[in-house]
Amino acid sequence: MKTVIYSTTSKDIEKAAEIISRGGLVAFPTETVYGLGADAMNSKAVADVYKAKGRPSDNPMIVHVSDSSDLDKLTGSITNDMKRLMDELWPGPLTMVVPKGESVPMRTTGGLDTVAVRMPANEVALKLIAMSGCPIAAPSANLSGKPSPTRADDVIADMDGRIQGIIRGEDCKVGIESTVVDMTGETPVILRPGIITAQKIEAVLGKKVIYDSALFKKAEDEGFKPRSPGMKYKHYAPEADMVIVSGQRTNVESEIERIREDKEREGLKVGVILFEENGFDEAAHDLFADLRDMDKAGVDLIIAGALDTDDQWGFAVMNRMVRSAGYNIVKV
Ligand code: AMP
Ligand code: MG
């Protein structure tokens, strides 16, 4: 298949939208990561997304809308809490899991009776959705298992020849995926952490928000049963081996140097990822791009410093980092 690269002019977005409305696949920028979009109401198109990514078919997709009123097509029950979150935090990196309306295909929701919905804060994405005339199902535009793409070139590297189009937009501002919050019960439950924190949601709703306990377990732990099916799978993994060093900063720095020297003596090419101790927005922005750059540079081993998980953004980035490293963590 020939993949056409589109610019972000209205004319090009219009062409890309036409592909989507005819059942084709187009990757596009959002503020979180690049998405791989298809008409969410078209079962065949959604099946093609799973195929293009090599994604397990029980891992549901987030459905993207450009207007809150689009939600009427996707769910029959919009609560006051949902309305408040939409008013305050959309467009933005917050995905809500809500009861599924009948017209949403089971393929889109991976067989679940709930659907995940979000309005992205990116002009290109919003235009694409509006011009397509349908809600757009879009997982991250990477091959399943690889780090999410935050730059158009990363999408091209994974998806060229597999989909009809890619919109070449800017690098993604946030860099990690949206917060996923389950709104189907009385108490909202965070299924995937992101830069919209539990505190922020609590402040909007004036009630307690809890975390899915699976967020604090390893995939191989007994009783690991995440409510977000995607969390079962190998995720965000670079080609290189990866280890995370956790502990007090000075100890972490010297342990990273020790491992580096050791491995370089063995002839391995080593890459280091060590973010600043505060302001984890930069860590969010850079993590996936750094992993991909290290793979491109032919690094054999990536050594990363752990982030402070008491910080909500540090917690969100670490949620990805530990999976990238396959839970390979050394404590110093
Ligand atoms: P991605 O498309 O790669 O950003 O991943 C989407 C995430 O949202 C995955 O981890 C899914 O498991 C999760 N998700 C999507 N729909 C639902 C749903 N209905 N219930 C729970 N989690 C969902
Ligand atoms: Mg993904």
Side-chain angles (χ1 to χ4, degrees), residues 13-196:
I13 297 174
E14 180 93 59
K15 286 184 202 154
E18 213 172 293
I19 293 177
I20 295 215
S21 56
R22 287 214 212 102
L25 311 186
V26 176
F28 62 97
T30 80
E31 82 278 34
T32 57
V33 303
Y34 272 73
L36 173 49
D39 177 353
M41 312 308 257
N42 179 336
S43 205
K44 159 85 174 56
V46 170
D48 287 344
V49 173
Y50 284 105
K51 237 184 273 161
K53 275 184 64 95
R55 181 176 174 112
S57 62
D58 69 340
N59 188 0
M61 299 192 184
I62 295 172
V63 178
H64 296 71
V65 298
S66 59
D67 193 294
S68 303
S69 66
D70 295 345
L71 228 58
D72 298 338
K73 295 177 214 154
L74 302 172
T75 181
S77 41
I78 300 174
T79 62
N80 284 333
D81 281 351
M82 286 165 57
K83 271 196 206 117
R84 273 192 214 115
L85 291 180
M86 284 192 260
D87 285 348
E88 294 291 324
L89 302 174
W90 276 10
L94 177 73
T95 296
M96 291 192 272
V97 171
V98 304
K100 177 182 105 60
E102 267 182 18
S103 55
V104 182
M106 278 291 179
R107 269 245 162 74
T108 304
T109 65
L112 298 175
D113 55 6
T114 53
V115 59
V117 290
R118 167 169 120 82
M119 189 194 296
N122 176 294
E123 283 310 314
V124 176
L126 291 172
K127 269 194 201 165
L128 179 72
I129 300 163
M131 286 176 177
S132 303
C134 57
I136 295 185
S140 48
N142 52 281
L143 291 173
S144 195
K146 297 234 278 171
S148 303
T150 56
R151 304 169 297 197
D153 285 339
D154 299 338
V155 180
I156 294 170
D158 277 18
M159 288 298 154
D160 193 22
R162 294 177 157 264
I163 59 179
Q164 281 84 357
I166 297 171
I167 301 180
R168 176 187 280 287
E170 288 178 351
D171 293 355
C172 301
K173 291 211 166 63
V174 176
I176 58 170
E177 304 85 348
S178 57
T179 305
V180 178
V181 62
D182 183 344
M183 297 299 293
T184 57
E186 186 50 37
T187 302
V189 185
I190 293 195
L191 308 184
R192 175 171 77 183
I195 68 155
I196 301 232

